[in-house]
Amino acid sequence: MTNTAFPWHSTQWSLVRKQFANGRRPHSMLLTGPADLGKREFAIKLAAFLLCSHPSEQEQCHNCAQCHLLQAGTHPDYRYVDPEDSKLIKIEQIRDLNGWLVQTSQQGGEKVVVIYPAEKMNNQSANALLKSLEEPTPNTLFVLVSDQPSRLLPTIRSRCQSFQFTPPDVATAVSWLEQNAEIHLDLHLALSLAGGSPLKVKRDINDDFLSRRAEVVTMLDSLVAHKIPALAAAAGLQKQDSREVIQIVLSLINDATKICLGSDVQDIINQDHLEVVRRLAEPGESFLFGACDQLLTTVREIESSANPNSQLLIESILIKLSV
């Protein structure tokens, strides 16, 4: 059972604690914001706090029977729902959850449900959950966590109290990374590449990533300079993870669009490849808008449950950019 506190959660934690202390406890909460900000960890920390027999002002005691059950993953009044063997949370999982909800608390206290990522519920499972949100059982808290809340049913969103999470300021992020990660990179550049998320920096931004990224940038630069055809460029990137390649290209295209629209150079994410970004901007904003739309469509296709041929998708993107 993870119970991690991050300094950029202090505002949300204070709001929740004050609300619960004043007796204004919601039946369901929706934690939203960009990925990799620790929203899931916040939800688990809150669940542990509520189920603990002797919580302090800030967290669970870690010593009571309830905390030991949570640590062992066997607490009977806690449920964590996520996609199992597929990319979706299926109706069978929610039906099983609904059956558990109507049972009396085995420990005589709170019951807590964490659902992550909530947007992975299909229509059937979302509608099955909606019935429980509309008629909540006493002393039960739902905590839904979503990176993409717009994909949730509006009726589900309307029945949850929302808490928004945003990336920490740079000083807070750098300080946390210096204390919690062994990273020998330019932390400001790393945070920029990670969308401001210290957790993503710690997990993904390292020398190996920068090397793979440099390969994508070099290949893309050769492509737009017509030094290499699109299919050869795609073949050269075949061994790389398609999701990562697409995210790198999308970041560069977004920067190029900013250049076209007259944004300050300081707003550019890929500061270490600024000349390449400027070359990508040369076809103009209309061309870049079209490329960006195609890239976003590709991201959605790859994230779907349809299992598309990612190599063909990359080829189509590079053909578009080589025109």
Side-chain angles (χ1 to χ4, degrees), residues 83-212:
E84 293 183 338
D85 297 330
S86 72
K87 296 182 180 180
L88 298 174
I89 295 173
K90 296 182 177 180
I91 189 171
E92 291 80 10
Q93 293 175 261
I94 302 301
R95 284 174 177 166
D96 178 66
L97 175 67
N98 288 341
W100 173 81
L101 288 168
V102 298
Q103 299 172 15
T104 303
S105 165
Q106 292 191 34
Q107 298 296 307
E110 303 273 353
K111 296 178 76 173
V112 184
V113 181
V114 174
I115 302 178
Y116 172 80
E119 69 271 11
K120 294 299 183 180
M121 290 185 289
N122 58 25
N123 284 335
Q124 287 181 315
S125 55
N127 280 308
L129 178 69
L130 184 59
K131 295 178 182 178
S132 294
L133 295 180
E134 290 173 337
E135 300 176 4
T137 53
N139 299 319
T140 299
L141 175 67
F142 292 89
V143 187
L144 280 64
V145 185
S146 178
D147 302 336
Q148 300 172 295
S150 62
R151 294 177 58 185
L152 290 169
L153 291 178
T155 44
I156 285 183
R157 296 200 304 268
S158 68
R159 283 165 175 77
C160 299
Q161 181 177 3
S162 291
F163 290 83
Q164 178 72 28
F165 290 72
T166 57
D169 61 79
V170 173
T172 298
V174 168
S175 175
W176 185 86
L177 284 167
E178 288 174 342
Q179 297 175 45
N180 294 277
E182 293 184 6
I183 298 175
H184 308 291
L185 305 174
D186 180 337
L187 290 181
H188 288 79
L189 173 63
L191 280 166
S192 183
L193 294 174
S197 165
L199 299 180
K200 184 171 177 60
V201 170
K202 183 177 180 180
R203 186 188 68 225
D204 295 335
I205 310 300
N206 51 35
D207 288 330
D208 287 342
F209 168 77
L210 293 181
S211 177
R212 296 193 303 272

Side-chain angles (χ1 to χ4, degrees), residues 253-274:
I253 293 298
N254 283 337
D255 277 350
T257 304
K258 292 176 187 177
I259 293 288
C260 284
L261 296 176
S263 295
D264 193 291
V265 172
Q266 296 303 314
D267 295 330
I268 301 303
I269 290 174
N270 297 278
Q271 290 283 335
D272 53 336
H273 293 295
L274 192 54

Side-chain angles (χ1 to χ4, degrees), residues 236-297:
L237 299 174
Q238 190 171 6
K239 292 183 180 179
Q240 292 209 31
D241 179 78
S242 57
R243 291 172 176 81
E244 185 175 89
V245 170
I246 289 169
Q247 290 297 339
I248 292 170
V249 174
L250 181 58
S251 176
L252 291 161
I253 293 298
N254 283 337
D255 277 350
T257 304
K258 292 176 187 177
I259 293 288
C260 284
L261 296 176
S263 295
D264 193 291
V265 172
Q266 296 303 314
D267 295 330
I268 301 303
I269 290 174
N270 297 278
Q271 290 283 335
D272 53 336
H273 293 295
L274 192 54
E275 291 307 312
V276 177
V277 170
R278 288 196 170 107
R279 281 192 286 276
L280 285 170
E282 290 174 3
E285 60 192 67
S286 296
F287 175 84
L288 292 170
F289 285 147
C292 187
D293 285 343
Q294 185 173 346
L295 281 160
L296 292 173
T297 298

